[in-house]
Amino acid sequence: MRAVGVTAAGLAVLAAGCGCGSGRPAAVPPSPGRGAAAARYLAIASEGNRHLEADFDRLDGRDRARLDAARADLRDAAATERLFDRRLAALALPPETRTLAARLVAANEARADLTATAAGVPTLAGLRADERRLTAANAPVETQVRAIRGSLGLPPPETG
């Protein structure tokens, strides 16, 4: 189960569409309208990240050998991913960012579907087997996160 937890921890930083503020200056100074949209984006991403980090810390720690608890962590992570998507879709965004947000929502929804599917597997071995698919689902989300952050004048998300 540890392998799933480690993979899922990578999801936590990305799933909420995030990399929520690195303390580095913005790559492109935000315009006043774009700055407000960036602040709203960071607010929902930060909240989602905190929640996902808690889920995946449990999944990687105390719940790694407890099937029912691990499945609950994954169900909660999928619900958090979907909540972020609904909040992102409802944000007032500049037109050029709206398309990017829709792409991020689509990529994140696909990953949330995989996370929810993993939550339904009947064994810890089954969870480990889903690790590769969960990891692969990160790449499209990462791509869209970088694009939306760039469009909002935010620095790229931190990795590692």
Side-chain angles (χ1 to χ4, degrees):
M1 183 64 207
R2 179 146 178 86
V4 171
V6 170
T7 298
L11 290 175
V13 176
L14 303 167
C18 23
C20 300
S22 63
R24 293 177 285 175
V28 176
S31 66
R34 197 168 67 170
R40 290 188 302 269
Y41 169 82
L42 288 176
I44 66 168
S46 295
E47 182 180 335
N49 277 345
R50 281 191 301 275
H51 197 100
L52 288 169
E53 286 170 9
D55 287 334
F56 291 123
D57 283 350
R58 284 189 308 273
L59 187 62
D60 196 31
R62 72 172 194 222
D63 294 345
R64 74 174 165 254
R66 298 172 40 203
L67 179 62
D68 288 341
R71 291 172 64 189
D73 295 336
L74 289 167
R75 282 191 303 274
D76 192 63
T80 299
E81 291 171 336
R82 290 187 172 116
L83 176 61
F84 169 81
D85 294 338
R86 288 190 305 274
R87 289 176 172 168
L88 179 59
L91 283 183
L93 296 169
E96 67 276 8
T97 307
R98 198 125 240 357
T99 299
L100 299 171
R103 290 179 187 155
L104 174 54
V105 166
N108 204 45
E109 281 296 304
R111 189 177 54 199
D113 289 346
L114 287 175
T115 304
T117 298
V121 301
T123 65
L124 289 171
L127 287 177
R128 284 187 208 100
D130 279 344
E131 176 187 2
R132 186 171 295 155
R133 290 186 314 150
L134 290 170
T135 299
N138 288 340
V141 174
E142 292 171 5
T143 298
Q144 298 309 320
V145 165
R146 284 190 299 275
I148 197 169
R149 288 178 66 93
S151 177
L152 292 171
L154 296 168
E158 290 185 20
T159 58

mmCIF file of all heavy atoms in Angstrom, residues 5 50 56 59 80:
data_model
loop_
_atom_site.group_PDB
_atom_site.id
_atom_site.type_symbol
_atom_site.label_atom_id
_atom_site.label_comp_id
_atom_site.label_asym_id
_atom_site.label_seq_id
_atom_site.Cartn_x
_atom_site.Cartn_y
_atom_site.Cartn_z
ATOM 1 N N GLY A 5 0.281 5.134 -1.670
ATOM 2 C CA GLY A 5 0.315 6.359 -0.887
ATOM 3 C C GLY A 5 1.325 7.354 -1.418
ATOM 4 O O GLY A 5 1.058 8.549 -1.490
ATOM 5 N N ARG A 50 -4.784 21.284 1.000
ATOM 6 C CA ARG A 50 -4.708 20.921 2.421
ATOM 7 C C ARG A 50 -5.509 19.655 2.700
ATOM 8 O O ARG A 50 -5.059 18.754 3.407
ATOM 9 C CB ARG A 50 -5.207 22.074 3.289
ATOM 10 C CG ARG A 50 -4.188 23.176 3.484
ATOM 11 C CD ARG A 50 -4.617 24.168 4.560
ATOM 12 N NE ARG A 50 -5.885 24.806 4.271
ATOM 13 C CZ ARG A 50 -6.042 25.892 3.511
ATOM 14 N NH1 ARG A 50 -4.993 26.456 2.952
ATOM 15 N NH2 ARG A 50 -7.236 26.420 3.328
ATOM 16 N N PHE A 56 -3.904 11.893 1.746
ATOM 17 C CA PHE A 56 -2.791 11.094 1.250
ATOM 18 C C PHE A 56 -1.720 10.857 2.304
ATOM 19 O O PHE A 56 -1.030 9.843 2.247
ATOM 20 C CB PHE A 56 -2.232 11.694 -0.032
ATOM 21 C CG PHE A 56 -3.205 11.544 -1.171
ATOM 22 C CD1 PHE A 56 -3.661 12.647 -1.868
ATOM 23 C CD2 PHE A 56 -3.708 10.301 -1.518
ATOM 24 C CE1 PHE A 56 -4.572 12.501 -2.913
ATOM 25 C CE2 PHE A 56 -4.621 10.147 -2.548
ATOM 26 C CZ PHE A 56 -5.052 11.253 -3.250
ATOM 27 N N LEU A 59 -3.149 7.892 3.924
ATOM 28 C CA LEU A 59 -3.024 6.752 3.014
ATOM 29 C C LEU A 59 -1.594 6.221 2.999
ATOM 30 O O LEU A 59 -1.362 5.024 2.930
ATOM 31 C CB LEU A 59 -3.450 7.170 1.605
ATOM 32 C CG LEU A 59 -3.548 6.090 0.552
ATOM 33 C CD1 LEU A 59 -4.597 5.069 0.931
ATOM 34 C CD2 LEU A 59 -3.880 6.705 -0.794
ATOM 35 N N THR A 80 -12.888 15.459 -2.990
ATOM 36 C CA THR A 80 -12.181 16.742 -2.913
ATOM 37 C C THR A 80 -11.780 17.225 -4.295
ATOM 38 O O THR A 80 -11.927 18.405 -4.618
ATOM 39 C CB THR A 80 -10.948 16.614 -2.000
ATOM 40 O OG1 THR A 80 -11.393 16.257 -0.681
ATOM 41 C CG2 THR A 80 -10.157 17.904 -1.943
#
